[in-house]
């Protein structure tokens, strides 16, 4: 219950619009990437990294089936995107543990996550490879 209250507070328009700034294509790449020939140009146009994370929860009895994840425990699945400076850039909360990471990304892009053309976020095998931005 407190987790949901905290998530709602952190994702409210008042907090989000004041304290969250997504990276821009105009932002310079981190120096430790652009100055390292082993990493550059492989990370050129990479804005950060994303992953889904399961957070244990105690849902109502009727939500148990939807909240059970692939490992068998009850959870919520959230999508988090971080910059190379380890700052959160985006968080999508509120989905049951049975939801896949690729579905979270699709929902985020359909709702409000904009990935500029030609740029990308690193993700694990749970995310689809795509060349184009989804349109709402």
């Amino acid at each position: 219950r407190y987790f949901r209250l905290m998530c709602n507070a952190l994702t409210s328009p008042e907090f989000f619009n004041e304290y969250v700034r997504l990276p821009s294509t105009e932002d310079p790449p981190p120096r430790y990437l652009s100055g390292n020939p082993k990493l550059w140009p492989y990370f050129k146009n990479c804005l950060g990294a994303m992953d889904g994370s399961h957070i244990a929860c105690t849902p109502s009895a009727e939500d148990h089936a939807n909240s059970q994840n692939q490992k068998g425990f009850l959870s919520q699945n959230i999508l988090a995107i971080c910059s190379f400076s380890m700052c959160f850039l985006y968080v999508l909360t509120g989905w049951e543990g049975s939801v896949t990471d690729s579905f979270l990304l699709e929902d985020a892009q359909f709702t409000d996550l904009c990935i500029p053309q030609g740029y990308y976020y690193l993700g694990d095998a749970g995310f689809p490879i795509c060349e184009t931005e989804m349109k709402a």
Side-chain angles (χ1 to χ4, degrees):
R1 177 171 119 113
Y2 293 110
F3 175 75
R4 182 169 295 211
L5 291 173
M6 188 58 120
C7 287
N8 288 340
L10 293 176
T11 57
S12 70
E14 296 82 18
F15 179 88
F16 192 85
N17 294 332
E18 179 71 25
Y19 297 104
V20 176
R21 185 182 72 82
L22 294 175
S24 162
T25 57
E26 307 300 318
D27 293 341
R31 189 174 219 128
Y32 65 87
L33 288 178
S34 62
N36 186 335
K38 290 183 178 182
L39 299 176
W40 199 260
Y42 304 109
F43 286 94
K44 184 178 182 184
N45 295 340
C46 184
L47 300 172
M50 69 175 135
D51 202 4
S53 183
H54 288 270
I55 298 174
C57 68
T58 308
S60 62
E62 61 265 8
D63 288 335
H64 272 223
N66 290 334
S67 297
Q68 187 170 353
N69 64 25
Q70 73 275 13
K71 294 185 179 177
F73 69 90
L74 302 177
S75 69
Q76 289 186 356
N77 195 0
I78 67 165
L79 173 67
I81 300 177
C82 293
S83 70
F84 288 110
S85 304
M86 299 299 166
C87 294
F88 282 101
L89 302 174
Y90 183 88
V91 177
L92 175 66
T93 63
W95 283 101
E96 300 91 356
S98 61
V99 171
T100 63
D101 290 350
S102 61
F103 181 87
L104 289 174
L105 177 60
E106 182 180 339
D107 182 53
Q109 287 183 300
F110 185 75
T111 307
D112 60 357
L113 176 64
C114 178
I115 302 173
Q117 188 71 26
Y119 289 80
Y120 65 97
Y121 291 104
L122 293 175
D124 62 16
F127 296 100
I129 297 174
C130 56
E131 297 258 340
T132 60
E133 174 185 335
M134 291 184 61
K135 301 291 182 197

